[in-house]
Amino acid sequence: MKPEKKLIFFLLFSMLLISFGFYAYQIIYTPNFLVGKEDRMIVIPNDADFKTVQKILHEGDYVQDLMSFAFLSRMMDYDKKVKPGRFILKANMTNLQAIRLLRLGKQEPVRITFNNVRLLKDLAEKITTNLSMRPDEFEAAAVKFSMNNKYGFNKDNLMCMFIPNTYEVYYNILPDALMERMYDEYVIFWNDERKAKAAQLGLSPVEVSILASIVQAEAMKQDEAPVIAGLYLNRLKQDMPLQADPTLVFASGDFSLKRVLNEHKEIDSPYNTYKYAGLPPGPINMPRVNCVDAVLNHDVNNYLYMCAKEDFSGYHNFTDNYRQQINNAKRYQRALEIEIEKGKQLRRAGAKK
């Protein structure tokens, strides 16, 4: 080959090599994701393949040059190692950075928060709000857990295992794994100190939570919770029925019930604490941590009875004397009748206008 041809070949080869190197550099190191935009979340479904990922990136306007991303993904085998989850893509990310993040499955955790629930279906709606699983999938896992666990939980008391709080989990956590995670959090909550206090009361942690759920329903004012807890513990010690109206509301299934009547006391249910002594088989709500601790650190008193105060402050009159309880109830009833009459007069006056 003549020197001129060799030179031309060398120059062409060099140009191609430089061009390829420049393109390779662009593919790997030039910002390609959310260029000039803000960080954004991307959710990759559990059954996603590489085509699905490309579609999400394209339709969500995450990437400028989808072809370069696809090329490098194949070079790095990401097209065969797609991981589902919830990821945060940073503004001006390169293909290399994005592929490493997605291929390693470096998810951003999501927060789950639950409180103020009575039933499993209510919990299912709240706990799955930020997760890939559906409420019915969570319910199915909870039912299975209640039937097969070795920790003493059943369908009635399972709600005691859930400690109201905010937790961080991965978006695509599986239902069974979520149940085990909630049990782990339960174990952390019921540390040696709390278990020792429960044992001093002669109660298991589950029984403490059941009682705490009743205390929570009765205590409109949190500072009264330890006093109410002490009252109910006194009743339990004396084998007296708890006679807690909120348990009748739960037994009735009508959670809009405002006043408990004598007819409700005849409901045949293990949650009827007028008819059956002792604790019901499960909680009537998901007790807050401060209500559980109110039972464990209850006020030491001799009270056996309580009645709402006649000033409608939300507080109660407490006594250990049944005759005094009757008098307290009469005062409250008279005050209630006066308020009802005032309400009627206001409605009549309003109707005349």
Side-chain angles (χ1 to χ4, degrees):
M1 184 180 294
K2 293 181 178 181
E4 294 83 356
K5 290 185 177 180
K6 287 183 178 179
L7 179 60
I8 292 170
F9 178 79
F10 175 75
L11 290 174
L12 288 172
F13 179 76
S14 297
M15 289 176 64
L16 287 172
L17 189 62
I18 292 171
S19 297
F20 179 78
F22 179 71
Y23 182 64
Y25 180 87
Q26 283 188 313
I27 289 176
I28 297 172
Y29 297 112
T30 300
N32 192 36
F33 280 77
L34 301 172
V35 177
K37 301 176 182 178
E38 296 181 350
D39 299 353
R40 279 175 58 195
M41 177 184 72
I42 183 172
V43 175
I44 299 177
N46 289 331
D47 57 352
D49 56 14
F50 188 59
K51 286 185 178 180
T52 304
V53 173
Q54 292 182 89
K55 183 178 180 182
I56 293 171
L57 290 173
H58 174 67
E59 293 181 351
D61 196 24
Y62 288 93
V63 62
Q64 280 191 323
D65 183 1
L66 186 61
M67 188 175 295
S68 67
F69 166 77
F71 176 78
L72 189 59
S73 293
R74 291 186 174 90
M75 294 289 292
M76 297 177 66
D77 286 336
Y78 173 60
D79 60 321
K80 301 172 185 175
K81 298 177 180 179
V82 171
K83 290 183 172 64
R86 175 187 180 273
F87 306 88
I88 298 296
L89 295 179
K90 301 289 186 179
N92 302 310
M93 243 183 173
T94 66
N95 285 327
L96 180 63
Q97 291 170 327
I99 292 169
R100 283 176 173 171
L101 173 77
L102 297 173
R103 188 179 66 174
L104 292 174
K106 289 186 176 180
Q107 294 189 60
E108 288 289 326
V110 298
R111 290 185 173 186
I112 56 174
T113 301
F114 49 86
N115 50 36
N116 297 326
V117 298
R118 286 191 182 93
L119 305 173
L120 181 61
K121 65 178 182 179
D122 303 323
L123 174 60
E125 291 289 343
K126 287 199 172 186
I127 204 171
T128 60
T129 298
N130 295 327
L131 303 179
S132 63
M133 77 178 75
R134 301 188 309 272
D136 63 293
E137 292 176 320
F138 172 79
E139 283 194 65
V143 170
K144 183 174 74 171
F145 183 91
S146 70
M147 296 173 63
N148 300 321
N149 74 90
K150 301 176 182 179
Y151 313 128
F153 293 103
N154 55 46
K155 64 181 180 62
D156 293 316
N157 65 28
L158 182 62
M159 291 285 279
C160 294
M161 190 180 82
F162 295 87
I163 309 301
N165 207 336
T166 296
Y167 303 94
E168 287 191 343
V169 299
Y170 287 131
Y171 168 79
N172 61 327
I173 188 172
L174 296 175
D176 289 344
L178 181 57
M179 292 301 300
E180 290 295 339
R181 167 65 187 281
M182 291 297 98
Y183 175 72
D184 291 342
E185 295 293 344
Y186 172 85
V187 171
I188 293 171
F189 176 79
W190 280 101
N191 53 31
D192 290 342
E193 181 182 358
R194 283 193 172 99
K195 287 191 290 188
K197 288 180 178 180
Q200 288 176 357
L201 299 176
L203 300 176
S204 68
V206 166
E207 289 172 326
V208 170
S209 292
I210 293 173
L211 180 54
S213 74
I214 298 173
V215 171
Q216 177 168 292
E218 290 279 23
M220 294 182 65
K221 306 294 183 180
Q222 183 58 36
D223 57 339
E224 266 197 354
V227 182
I228 295 173
L231 182 154
Y232 282 131
L233 286 167
N234 292 337
R235 280 183 165 254
L236 287 174
K237 289 175 185 176
Q238 297 187 29
D239 291 324
M240 292 179 64
L242 296 182
Q243 296 184 332
D245 288 358
T247 65
L248 294 184
V249 174
F250 188 86
S252 74
D254 180 6
F255 301 133
S256 65
L257 195 63
K258 300 299 182 183
R259 293 186 65 188
V260 171
L261 305 175
N262 286 332
E263 63 189 68
H264 298 120
K265 297 176 184 179
E266 299 304 317
I267 296 174
D268 190 13
S269 165
Y271 289 89
N272 184 343
T273 55
Y274 279 82
K275 187 181 285 286
Y276 300 102
L279 292 167
I284 60 173
N285 56 51
M286 182 183 289
R288 297 184 300 272
V289 169
N290 55 9
C291 285
V292 173
D293 286 340
V295 173
L296 296 176
N297 303 291
H298 66 283
D299 178 63
V300 178
N301 56 60
N302 296 319
Y303 299 142
L304 294 172
Y305 309 98
M306 66 180 180
C307 178
K309 281 193 171 183
E310 61 275 13
D311 60 3
F312 305 107
S313 61
Y315 284 97
H316 294 81
N317 286 311
F318 297 94
T319 182
D320 61 351
N321 184 281
Y322 183 67
R323 183 179 294 279
Q324 183 60 49
Q325 168 69 359
I326 295 299
N327 292 334
N328 291 338
K330 286 179 178 178
R331 286 204 309 273
Y332 175 77
Q333 188 61 38
R334 283 196 299 269
L336 183 61
E337 288 171 357
I338 291 171
E339 288 299 310
I340 292 174
E341 183 58 33
K342 286 181 181 178
K344 289 179 180 178
Q345 290 176 2
L346 287 174
R347 287 193 293 272
R348 285 196 293 267
K352 291 178 180 178
K353 290 182 180 179

